[in-house]
Amino acid sequence: MKTRVLVLCLVMVFVGALVFGAGQKESTATNDETITLRFAWWGGDSRHEAYMAAAERYMELNPNVKIVSEYGGWDGYREKLYTQLAGGNAPHVFQNHYTWLAEQAAWSGAEVVKDLQQYSEIIDLSIFPDGLLDEFVIHNDQLLALPSSVNTDALVANKAVLDKIGFDYDQKWSFDDFFAFSEKLKAVDSSLYFENGMAASDIHMYWFLAYMVQKTGLPFATDYTLSYDEATVTEAFRFLEKYFASGVVEPLGTLELYTGNYPQNPKWVNGETGVLFGMLSTLENYVNAMGDYKDDATVIRLPIMEGAKDPYYQTKVGQIFSIAASVEDAEAMEAAKFINWMNTDEEAGVLLKLSRGIPVSEKQNQALSEAGLLSPLVMQAMEYANEAGAGIGQGTLIRNNEISRIGADMISSVAFGQSTPEEAAKEYIKLVNRKLQELKTAQQ
């Protein structure tokens, strides 16, 4: 089922009677034994505050439960988590990523996350639109995670910067316009940048891939072979060469300093960059980081080239949570209850706000609306995403660690003038296809 259809279904979701009845969902434990749950996630300050508040409230409702929060930024999260999963000491409940689930399902034949279908009497599955779980979180007939929200790409803009060039905030624009907007800003003040920018690994996964998907209408790989010919890859590298050379963003070496924490770049904080790429779930954090410019925040459409064969951008599950396979039965049942409470309870929805994206639960959305917490910026970004249509998105292979490093290395090489776009394209295709074939062999 197309993701667009799934998202539109969210506004029609009817949440029936929850498995714990009306009111607050409390633990059914009848003894005084304390159950300790380690709860891990990544994100910015606004998300940390929201999840800690939710964990505190759950402990108040369930005095026999102690939740230990383990949180940090995106950078290094996956590597740390995989080390913990391999060692059998992962957090009981942890934020996962839908693009990691396939490899977790095939992890040397070992179970690393629990099949959550075994907790169907605890978890309310009626909140999920038809097809959502099948498309994103079920692998090998196992429910490996539960989504708490839907999410999509978004661009936050600082009107205090873009007003200087008479920017039309409702316009449709393309990749070529990066240069036109940047040139206008530089003419006003050479210290300004149109985009706040990203590290090379994220540029690879977003602008670089988006360019090729829109150009060809093809996914990153087809049968474990890169889908794009040399001419297409070269053109994408030429775009990035000009992107850096013309000063659309700061030099790549500077951007890398803020990997996983882009809104802390002083250029964004001090109102010297026009737009910042992110997700619905990061909008609040990005806006809060604007300081004196917070009231100048808005969102704009994402770039789509004229005649694009696919928009690339995809509305998908937002934050998802899994339970580690190493967790004992009693703790696993409580972990399932905790996830269900966060996903379905109205009070939990208000405490979590939009830190995770737009909740899957219509009941939580209604509670957020009544509390005045449905941000107009988030809703506008979602409207732009729906307007763009359901794109191919990233898929899982481009997020492979080695492929990500190949992409980042080649982008860096072009950005620093060490390789021409033509040279980078040849090397990129060779190295990526070599890795894709290794992955294919490993799956056989």
Side-chain angles (χ1 to χ4, degrees), residues 283-321:
L283 284 189
E284 183 180 6
N285 194 42
Y286 285 12
V287 172
N288 287 339
M290 294 172 70
D292 294 340
Y293 297 94
K294 187 175 178 179
D295 292 339
D296 292 302
T298 189
V299 293
I300 63 174
R301 288 177 171 85
L302 291 151
I304 298 178
M305 63 177 61
E306 186 175 352
K309 295 183 179 179
D310 184 278
Y312 164 77
Y313 311 109
Q314 182 186 57
T315 301
K316 46 194 171 282
V317 292
Q319 287 191 284
I320 65 173
F321 286 96

Side-chain angles (χ1 to χ4, degrees), residues 330-407:
E331 286 82 4
M333 289 184 67
E334 193 63 51
K337 293 173 188 176
F338 177 50
I339 295 173
N340 186 73
W341 178 80
M342 288 195 295
N343 278 0
T344 62
D345 187 83
E346 293 172 75
E347 184 180 10
V350 171
L351 288 170
L352 292 170
K353 303 176 185 176
L354 293 173
S355 64
R356 52 189 173 159
I358 297 178
V360 172
S361 165
E362 185 58 28
K363 193 173 183 179
Q364 287 188 333
N365 278 319
Q366 182 62 35
L368 285 171
S369 178
E370 292 173 357
L373 295 173
L374 277 181
S375 163
L377 295 186
V378 170
M379 301 312 292
Q380 181 63 70
M382 194 71 199
E383 182 179 324
Y384 284 152
N386 285 336
E387 173 192 287
I392 287 173
Q394 299 158 8
T396 60
L397 292 173
I398 196 170
R399 286 180 174 269
N400 172 272
N401 274 354
E402 190 170 336
I403 289 175
S404 180
R405 282 194 296 271
I406 293 167

Side-chain angles (χ1 to χ4, degrees), residues 197-209 237 240 243-244 252-253 255-257 259 262 403-413 415-416:
M198 300 177 278
S201 57
D202 283 334
I203 293 172
H204 175 240
M205 192 164 51
Y206 294 110
W207 294 152
F208 182 72
L209 180 60
F237 276 119
L240 291 179
Y243 174 81
F244 286 108
L252 183 59
L255 300 181
E256 295 286 352
L257 298 175
T259 302
Y262 302 127
I403 289 175
S404 180
R405 282 194 296 271
I406 293 167
D409 288 347
M410 290 298 98
I411 288 170
S412 297
S413 184
F416 294 123

Side-chain angles (χ1 to χ4, degrees), residues 61-83:
L61 295 170
N62 301 270
N64 68 312
V65 178
K66 178 182 179 181
I67 298 176
V68 179
S69 296
E70 302 178 11
Y71 54 89
W74 162 259
D75 195 31
Y77 179 91
R78 181 179 183 273
E79 291 75 17
K80 179 181 178 180
L81 173 64
Y82 273 36
T83 299

Side-chain angles (χ1 to χ4, degrees), residues 55-255:
E56 186 66 32
R57 181 56 177 153
Y58 189 82
M59 288 188 286
E60 291 174 0
L61 295 170
N62 301 270
N64 68 312
V65 178
K66 178 182 179 181
I67 298 176
V68 179
S69 296
E70 302 178 11
Y71 54 89
W74 162 259
D75 195 31
Y77 179 91
R78 181 179 183 273
E79 291 75 17
K80 179 181 178 180
L81 173 64
Y82 273 36
T83 299
Q84 292 172 324
L85 287 171
N89 64 339
H92 299 77
V93 178
F94 62 88
Q95 183 180 352
N96 215 331
H97 198 287
Y98 76 95
T99 63
W100 304 343
L101 297 179
E103 60 188 9
Q104 290 170 15
W107 195 320
S108 300
E111 182 186 40
V112 292
V113 293
K114 287 189 180 290
D115 179 2
L116 299 182
Q117 291 175 112
Q118 63 189 296
Y119 306 111
S120 59
E121 293 186 1
I122 295 173
I123 297 167
D124 181 6
L125 297 176
S126 72
I127 67 171
F128 301 106
D130 290 344
L132 184 70
L133 300 180
D134 286 326
E135 184 169 356
F136 290 105
V137 294
I138 290 179
H139 292 266
N140 298 337
D141 296 322
Q142 294 185 322
L143 179 60
L144 301 182
L146 283 176
S148 62
S149 60
V150 292
N151 211 356
T152 193
D153 305 320
L155 267 179
V156 185
N158 186 337
K159 292 189 290 185
V161 175
L162 297 186
D163 280 352
K164 298 178 188 294
I165 59 173
F167 192 84
D168 177 2
Y169 297 98
D170 194 43
Q171 68 182 303
K172 296 179 180 179
W173 61 289
S174 72
F175 284 91
D176 288 340
D177 291 318
F178 272 105
F179 311 121
F181 298 149
S182 176
E183 185 178 347
K184 288 180 180 179
L185 269 180
K186 296 291 186 187
V188 173
D189 185 340
S190 61
S191 69
L192 299 178
Y193 292 90
F194 175 66
E195 188 195 348
N196 194 65
M198 300 177 278
S201 57
D202 283 334
I203 293 172
H204 175 240
M205 192 164 51
Y206 294 110
W207 294 152
F208 182 72
L209 180 60
Y211 191 100
M212 295 189 293
V213 168
Q214 291 183 16
K215 186 77 176 178
T216 66
L218 299 173
F220 176 71
T222 304
D223 191 26
Y224 289 91
T225 300
L226 187 69
S227 297
Y228 315 116
D229 61 21
E230 188 175 320
T232 299
V233 179
T234 299
E235 186 175 329
F237 276 119
R238 282 184 186 141
F239 163 75
L240 291 179
E241 181 183 49
K242 185 176 180 181
Y243 174 81
F244 286 108
S246 63
V248 172
V249 292
E250 292 181 273
L252 183 59
T254 301
L255 300 181

